[in-house]
C-alpha cells in the first residue's frame, strides 16, 4: 500500500482531514498535497515523524515491505 493510502486510512479512522493533519503536524499543505496525490512517493524521515506524531501512531505503521 502506498504511503498516501496509509495516511488516508489513518485519517479516515479518526475522522480527520489532510487539512487537520497539516495544522496538527505543522507540515504545510504545500508539502502534504503532493504526498496525498501520490505525486511524491518518497517522504523525508522528519516529515513522516511529524505525521506519525500527529496521528499518534508508530512510524512502523507506515513501513512498506517487499511486494507492497
Amino acid at each position: 500500500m502506498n504511503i498516501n493510502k496509509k495516511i488516508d486510512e489513518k485519517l479516515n479512522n479518526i475522522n480527520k482531514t489532510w487539512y487537520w493533519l497539516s495544522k496538527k503536524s505543522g507540515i504545510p499543505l504545500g508539502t502534504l498535497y503532493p504526498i496525498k496525490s501520490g505525486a511524491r512517493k518518497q517522504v523525508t524521515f522528519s516529515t513522516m515523524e511529524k505525521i506519525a506524531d500527529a496521528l499518534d501512531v508508530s512510524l512502523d505503521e507506515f513501513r512498506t515491505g517487499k511486494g507492497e
Side-chain angles (χ1 to χ4, degrees):
M1 183 181 294
N2 293 334
I3 194 71
N4 61 332
K5 295 198 185 311
K6 287 184 178 187
I7 295 170
D8 258 339
E9 182 179 287
K10 299 295 179 194
L11 287 169
N12 286 333
N13 288 343
I14 60 172
N15 294 319
K16 300 294 182 184
T17 64
W18 285 82
Y19 178 78
W20 173 88
L21 181 60
S22 172
K23 294 300 181 190
K24 179 79 174 177
S25 66
I27 301 169
L29 283 173
T31 300
L32 288 177
Y33 278 140
I35 297 169
K36 180 182 184 203
S37 70
R40 179 179 286 163
K41 303 288 186 209
Q42 295 182 347
V43 183
T44 65
F45 180 81
S46 63
T47 297
M48 282 311 305
E49 190 174 37
K50 290 176 185 176
I51 291 171
D53 286 347
L55 295 171
D56 197 29
V57 297
S58 167
L59 279 170
D60 288 338
E61 301 261 347
F62 299 105
R63 292 181 62 115
T64 57
K66 291 182 180 179
E68 286 192 42

